[in-house]
Amino acid sequence: MIEIPTDLPSELVPLSWLIGVWEGTGVLDYAIEDEHTELEFGQRVSFSHDDQAYLNYSSTTWILDEEKTPLAAETGYWRLSRKLIEGDQGPAMLPGSGPRPFNTAQSVETLRNSNGAFDIDVSVIHPDGVSELYLGQVNGPRIDLATDAVLRTAGAKEYTAATRLYGLVENHLLWAWDIAALGQELRTHASARLAKVE
C-alpha cells in the first residue's frame, strides 16, 4: 500500500506514489542493424523532495555480472506542468512574489487536463552529455512521457527521441523505455521491475 506523507507539498500529491527508493532488475534489449545487445541489469532509483513543488530523481544501473559493472546513471526533476504565476520562484535564484501557488488539494485539482490526468514535465540529465526534456501525464498510478527536446554535447553519441512508461503494479514500479538513437527509429530499449526498499 502506498501512503501519502502528510507534509507533502500539494502539487506533489499526484506523483506521491513514486516517492522513495526502489531497487530491482531489468533487461536491456536493443538492435542496431545486425548488432543486437541484450543483457540483464540491476537498478536503484530514488524519488525525493525538498518541500518544493518538484521531485528529485536519480537512477544508477549496473550489469548483473560478478563485478557489478556500472552501466548508466541519470538525474533530474519531475513536476506538474502548469502556467507560471507570480508566486513561483525563478529564474535562477529569484524568489517568488506573492503567496505560494497551488498549496491546497482543491487548487491542484484545477490542474487536471481534459483526460482527467495531470500534465507533467520531466528533465533528465545523463553524464554522457545528453539532456532530455519529457512532457507527459500522470493518471493515477501510470505515467506516460515523450521527449519534447533532446540536447547533446559535441562529444555525445547520436540520440534523438525517447518515450518512457511508468506504472505501479502490485506495489512494484514497472517501467519501459523506447529510444531513437544511433540512426535507428524509436524502438524498444529497456524495461525493469523495481520494489520499494526505503
Side-chain angles (χ1 to χ4, degrees), residues 5-85:
T6 56
D7 62 343
L8 196 65
S10 297
E11 283 187 73
L12 292 185
V13 171
L15 295 167
S16 62
W17 55 272
L18 290 168
I19 295 173
V21 177
W22 304 80
E23 287 187 0
T25 60
V27 175
L28 168 67
D29 188 354
Y30 197 67
I32 302 168
E33 296 179 359
D34 294 334
E35 186 177 331
H36 184 223
T37 302
E38 186 174 354
L39 58 85
E40 291 186 52
F41 61 87
Q43 183 179 31
R44 182 177 176 92
V45 170
S46 172
F47 289 95
S48 63
H49 71 93
D50 302 316
D51 295 324
Q52 299 294 319
Y54 58 84
L55 290 180
N56 303 305
Y57 163 75
S58 67
S59 167
T60 56
T61 58
W62 57 91
I63 298 172
L64 291 178
D65 57 14
E66 289 184 12
E67 295 79 25
K68 292 189 175 181
T69 304
L71 184 60
E74 56 187 27
T75 188
Y77 301 95
W78 297 50
R79 67 180 191 152
L80 294 188
S81 179
R82 60 171 176 77
K83 291 182 180 178
L84 181 70
I85 61 175

